[in-house]
Amino acid sequence: MKLYNTLTRQIDVVEPIQPPRVGLYACGLTVYDFTHLGHLRKYTMDDVLIRTLRRAGYQVTFVQNVTDVGHLTSDSDTGEDKLEKGARKYGKTAWDVAKEFEEYFWRSMDAMGNVRPDVSCRATEHIPEQLEMVKTLEAKGFAYVIDDDGVYFDTSKLDDYGKLALIDIEQLREGARVERVAGKRNPTDFALWKFERPGENRAMAWPSPWAERSFPGWHIECSAMSMKYLGEQFEIHTGGIDHINVHHTNEIAQAEAATGKKPFVKYWVHHNFLRVDGEKMSKSLGNFFTIDDIEKRGLSPRALRLLFLTTHYRSEMNFTWGNLEGMQKTWERLIRQVVQLKAETGRTTLSEEKLDQLNEYRQRFVTAMENDLDTPTAVAVMWEMLKSNIPSPDKYDLLIELDELMGLGLRQADSYLAEIEAKHHAQSVRVEELSAELQQVVQDRQTARANQDWAAADAARDTLLAAGYTIKDTPQGPVLTKTSI
Ligand code: AMP
Ligand code: ZN
């Protein structure tokens, strides 16, 4: 398997420290609000990566955290804890907000068909591990206390701080690109542990050697938990591109300072954003859609998965309902085809030529996936294979095999088809149920068609469409379907 590594800025072959074992840590969700399609893209592509690694023979231990404390609204340690913000927004305690949005996250992951992590770890359940790490950093001279604020990491003590992001430290030192916390020795220094402010009255606070009521910083949770479950050095770490400059840079600093500069992670994988109207889909901008929005529109989460697969994870992707609706149609066609393939019997021994053809499709598909997860190429190979004249039973078997990597769940095509049929049935409308005006439009269209006046027939169809109905002609007469909103 080859992956683009942000650390080396090139595509590297994944070479485990102890083959065939691979430790993979994915930065988890901050559970202060709904999981949105941007998150779904990131975690779905992580899932595709894990499936591909496993199929390539790596023994993956997949660890993913749940950020339920400490992630501040500003990357410069000045904002408030996002969980406390969520608590205010929803009128609940930070604990309840964390619980509810974590549940929503798992529900969203299940709907997408994502495999659960081998270890799922909450920051609030690893306070001793995080405290221990901060104490180690303090003992080794990497930490200092700012009164009434927190314990900070002194980035000037590490000669290669910022290597992941190629941060220009000199420029940062001179300028004030990062909002300053009073008392920070260097602009890039960051909070390891924070103290409750007077009158703050947080729901989540723990005693520490520095303050009676305090809480971990965001970066320390990922270093402490990944090292607990995967060791001081491991192979793959994933996150969105927004994590490169601060979060992951600081994870590396903490881990390598604590272990005496043992290289922390070999391969850093970063996902590009899902955007809406050119802006990153995000909780803070409020421009997000959820899995419920998808289902409310009668669209399938697996159609969304197929849509994600058609864009490379390192490319930006712009979300529109039009694109997803188009993909829904493709998805429904795919499901019908799979059900049909499955029903066709009469397996015979493949000719040598057909066997070669089959192996070539498999080879091209897997090679694309193992080449930095080139899902657009892999999906194109799948369509090509489906169009080929390979006998149906073998085509079906290969498709199911390749789907182990895509995760579309095509093995359950029968139940998807039942859902699709039920949805269409529920959406179909009898002509008599329409308003008198619309019944007239249907009538006019029938007359126009009988007279082969296609322009008038098209115009009538457009009028129906504008009123929210699509019309299809069947031997039993026209059938109307309510279009999704
Ligand atoms: P957060 O809860 O903000 O820490 O985000 C969880 C993960 O989702 C991080 O790895 C983010 O980089 C990623 N993420 C957030 N918004 C988007 C987006 N619009 N597109 C892709 N990934 C995103
Ligand atoms: Zn993280």
Side-chain angles (χ1 to χ4, degrees), residues 27 69 111 147 149 161 176 201 262 274 292 310 347 372 411:
C27 279
V69 69
D147 287 341
D149 185 317
Y161 177 81
N201 211 4
K262 284 188 195 158
L274 183 72
D292 284 329
T310 57
R347 186 187 293 273
D372 193 28
R411 226 181 251 287

Side-chain angles (χ1 to χ4, degrees), residues 7-26:
L7 193 61
T8 57
R9 283 171 172 71
Q10 63 182 25
I11 293 182
D12 288 335
V13 176
V14 176
E15 287 170 350
I17 300 163
Q18 283 179 299
R21 297 218 303 261
V22 163
L24 187 150
Y25 183 90

Side-chain angles (χ1 to χ4, degrees), residues 45 48 308-313 368-369 373-380:
M45 296 313 282
V48 176
F308 287 154
L309 290 172
T310 57
T311 305
H312 192 256
Y313 76 95
M369 293 293 270
L373 223 57
D374 184 358
T375 52
T377 300
V379 169

Side-chain angles (χ1 to χ4, degrees), residues 287-307:
N287 59 351
F288 65 82
F289 302 112
T290 64
I291 200 85
D292 284 329
D293 294 324
I294 301 275
E295 288 172 343
K296 257 188 267 169
R297 284 172 158 84
L299 301 167
S300 162
R302 301 302 165 106
L304 179 66
R305 188 174 182 107
L306 189 55
L307 186 66

Side-chain angles (χ1 to χ4, degrees), residues 387-402:
K387 276 198 215 110
S388 73
N389 58 3
I390 290 178
S392 298
D394 305 279
K395 207 186 258 186
Y396 177 78
D397 286 351
L398 180 58
L399 183 66
I400 296 300
E401 182 188 330
L402 303 183

